[in-house]
Amino acid sequence: MPESRLRMGSCYFLSKRGCILQFRLILYVDFLCEKILTCLDHSDLVRLQTISGEELMAGFLLYDRVERFLSEKGFPSSAIVAGLRQ
């Protein structure tokens, strides 16, 4: 966890180039700051949410494939969750 925020009141994971998380959980994908909500029109918000949905699906598929791979190697299904927490 970063020690400070880029801007007061913003996400801890926000950098000058955007989100620093390489694998974002649903909470971080779904979050839209007030500035984005007020600056984008409806069609742009729909497009952004569509892209967010694609990112969530890709993350789910990756998680599922890694879990199946670990299971095939004899690891318990909770091994991937324990690995994400480290």
Side-chain angles (χ1 to χ4, degrees):
M1 179 85 148
E3 293 182 21
S4 63
R5 299 171 192 242
L6 178 67
R7 288 190 300 266
M8 189 65 152
S10 70
C11 177
Y12 277 98
F13 303 107
L14 179 64
S15 74
K16 291 178 182 178
R17 297 181 62 196
C19 184
I20 62 172
L21 296 174
Q22 293 189 15
F23 183 82
R24 301 183 313 152
L25 301 175
I26 190 167
L27 171 69
Y28 303 109
V29 175
D30 277 350
F31 175 77
L32 296 175
C33 71
E34 191 66 32
K35 185 174 182 179
I36 289 174
L37 292 173
T38 57
C39 289
L40 297 179
D41 64 25
H42 179 74
S43 63
D44 287 334
L45 283 172
V46 169
R47 184 167 181 259
L48 180 59
Q49 290 174 328
T50 299
I51 293 167
S52 296
E54 292 168 358
E55 180 180 346
L56 290 172
M57 180 56 78
F60 170 78
L61 293 172
L62 174 63
Y63 180 93
D64 184 60
R65 182 61 191 120
V66 169
E67 186 174 44
R68 282 189 284 135
F69 174 80
L70 291 175
S71 177
E72 290 167 4
K73 298 297 180 188
F75 289 92
S77 63
S78 60
I80 189 170
V81 175
L84 286 174
R85 290 185 183 145
Q86 293 180 1

